[in-house]
Amino acid sequence: VLDGVLYRGGFSGGDKDRSGLSDSQREALCGEGFSKGFYADFGKNTEYGTTQCTGNGFDYQSARSSRPANVMKAIHDVIKSPDEGPVYVHCMWGVHSSGALSAMALVQFCDWSEAKAKEYWNDARNGAPCSGGCDDWIDAKFERFSFETSLTISDAEKAAICPK
């Protein structure tokens, strides 16, 4: 989503047990240099915490696409600190909630309009259905999002990470 800063994903076939990333998956992300991971909206049976690996740690946390502030702050921290590894955000299928958080990051850090970000979200969900209708679903997520001026970045930082 944001080059070197934010990546998103999900589970092939969904995460029916809502157990989140396994120890080996967290270790792999840590080994690849990721510093933080967020399981958006579904991890009720998930163990969160920090996984240590050579040279760094991977901090795995819960997130809500209807309360994106902590994810936006983590992304900002990575942009501002070259010692921080990228952020990985995922949800049960890698479609709805991780996509919503990614769309919000594009608004926050890349000057995308809300309409353009919602179009990105809609295109990336590849036709996956939404409970109550997809326009209503993404609109409800964006209702709780607001651009945070304390998390602005420079034009040079935008040029380095934002989609062209």
Side-chain angles (χ1 to χ4, degrees):
V1 180
L2 301 175
D3 192 31
V5 175
L6 175 64
Y7 298 84
R8 64 179 273 220
F11 298 97
S12 177
D15 181 16
K16 294 171 183 65
D17 294 328
R18 298 180 177 177
S19 56
L21 296 174
S22 68
D23 289 342
S24 64
Q25 288 169 318
R26 288 186 291 191
E27 288 168 9
L29 286 166
C30 186
E32 291 176 22
F34 283 81
S35 61
K36 287 189 169 60
F38 294 91
Y39 190 7
D41 294 336
F42 289 109
K44 71 178 185 177
N45 296 321
T46 303
E47 288 187 34
Y48 297 103
T50 302
T51 299
Q52 295 297 324
C53 64
T54 306
N56 67 325
F58 176 71
D59 184 18
Y60 190 44
Q61 302 175 33
S62 175
R64 303 289 295 177
S65 57
S66 57
R67 291 189 294 275
N70 60 335
V71 176
M72 296 304 123
K73 173 74 170 95
I75 295 166
H76 186 260
D77 290 348
V78 170
I79 295 167
K80 293 298 185 181
S81 176
D83 296 335
E84 290 281 323
V87 173
Y88 179 71
V89 63
H90 74 98
C91 59
M92 184 184 290
W93 294 92
V95 176
H96 299 97
S97 296
S98 63
L101 290 167
S102 297
M104 291 169 195
L106 290 165
V107 171
Q108 179 66 54
F109 301 108
C110 298
D111 297 329
W112 282 31
S113 68
E114 186 175 310
K116 182 176 178 180
K118 286 178 180 179
E119 185 177 315
Y120 156 84
W121 173 84
N122 194 49
D123 290 346
R125 73 180 173 81
N126 294 320
C130 309
S131 176
C134 292
D135 289 341
D136 290 343
W137 190 93
I138 194 63
D139 288 346
K141 300 302 177 181
F142 265 91
E143 280 178 13
R144 305 258 328 249
F145 171 76
S146 60
F147 183 86
E148 179 55 55
T149 57
S150 68
L151 301 180
T152 57
I153 62 174
S154 71
D155 289 340
E157 290 165 327
K158 290 174 189 175
I161 67 166
C162 293
K164 305 297 182 241

